[in-house]
Structure formats: C-alpha cells, structure tokens
Amino acid sequence: MAHDPGQQYASLRLDVGAPPSRQAELASWLQRVGAMLLDHLVALLPWLVAGPFAWFTADRGVDIFGEPSIMTSTAGDWVMLAALAIQAGIWVWNRWIRQGRTGRSVGKQALGLRLADATSGQVPGVGRTIGRDFAHVLDWPGSLGYLWPLWDPRNQTFADKVVSTVVVRER
C-alpha cells in the first residue's frame, strides 16, 4: 500500500512557538537518503587532505619478490591517523551534538529537514540522537530498516521507531 510522502503529520509543530495550524510534513525517503549522503561526505572531508598527502610522501620501492611496492611514510601515517580522529570528531559534532541540540545535521539543514520527537515535534536531544545512531544497527540486515520508510506510514526507519523520532521537512 503506497502512501503520500508529502502527507501532513498534524501532531508535530515546526517550532515551540508555532501555531497549531503550522504543521510539519514528513520527509521523503529520497530526502532522507540525500541528507545522509551529505553527512557522510562532510565526515570524509579530512581524507581529501590526508589521502593525497600519504600518497605523495610514500616511499616507493621494490619488495622481496621484485614487485613494485608503496609504503606510507611516518608523516603519512600520522596524517592518516589525524584524519581518522578528525573524521570521528566531525561525526560526533554533526550527528550527535548538532543534530541532538537543533534537530539538524549538516545534511538535514542543507535539504530543509529536521529530526523531531514523533509525538511532540520537539528536538529529541543529544542522548536520544546518539541512541538513534546506535539503533541504526537494526537497519543493517539486508538494509531492510533503511528501506522501511518507503512503505511506513510515518516514513520511519527501525532506529526511528526505537527512539520515537521522525524526520520532517521544514517549510
């Protein structure tokens, strides 16, 4: 049974002071995927520097079998380690702290989306946002949970159901 991805979710309000007539519209599956891809791209930015640095500073030679080999330099190794730490920091800031406090990760903000409590429409908070990211492990088997919003009436993944959140479009 198909549902209208632009359906109104009347119990949600876009902001605390909004009149009840201002309703939130559920985000479509494609909008959610787009926001997720943007979030991943933002987290991968440190590798745009680290990867080329490690490549250009690598030691090139021949292994014991006479085959060409490339071995990263110590400086390249440290830059790669720093990139990993920066990537983790970006992820924590964007997906947990920023989204937990505002409902918007960088990807969600770019696409005009917001994470909201499924009942009140309020920002779910840092703790629930962290729990939601960890609950995404339930979405992995066969990616079924990530596809679930395609037919779910509230466009929720399994993780959204666990922590009682929805992703809404802001108008």
Side-chain angles (χ1 to χ4, degrees), residues 5-165:
Q7 66 193 352
Q8 299 294 310
Y9 196 67
S11 65
L12 292 179
R13 293 183 3 195
L14 290 177
D15 54 35
V16 178
S21 62
R22 187 172 178 201
Q23 299 173 338
E25 197 172 287
L26 293 170
S28 73
W29 182 79
L30 279 176
Q31 290 169 324
R32 292 178 61 137
V33 169
M36 181 189 66
L37 289 175
L38 287 173
D39 286 341
H40 281 80
L41 287 173
V42 166
L44 291 174
L45 288 177
W47 296 100
L48 293 177
V49 173
F53 181 86
W55 174 259
F56 289 116
T57 61
D59 298 322
R60 286 156 177 77
V62 178
D63 66 16
I64 60 171
F65 301 107
E67 297 293 324
S69 70
I70 298 175
M71 188 85 137
T72 57
S73 66
T74 302
D77 290 342
W78 281 108
V79 168
M80 295 294 278
L81 185 61
L84 182 61
I86 293 168
Q87 178 184 13
I90 289 171
W91 189 264
V92 166
W93 168 78
N94 183 43
R95 296 281 302 181
W96 297 353
I97 297 170
R98 185 176 200 269
Q99 184 170 242
R101 291 180 179 166
T102 66
R104 295 170 195 87
S105 64
V106 170
K108 283 183 180 65
Q109 182 172 358
L111 296 181
L113 307 178
R114 182 172 64 85
L115 183 66
D117 179 273
T119 306
S120 70
Q122 300 296 318
V123 174
V126 174
R128 281 179 58 202
T129 303
I130 293 170
R132 179 178 180 263
D133 262 8
F134 280 108
H136 276 304
V137 74
L138 301 171
D139 296 327
W140 293 347
S143 296
L144 182 63
Y146 286 115
L147 297 173
W148 202 262
L150 289 169
W151 55 82
D152 185 74
R154 295 170 83 183
N155 297 1
Q156 291 175 297
T157 63
F158 293 160
D160 287 318
K161 291 180 179 301
V162 168
V163 297
S164 188
T165 57

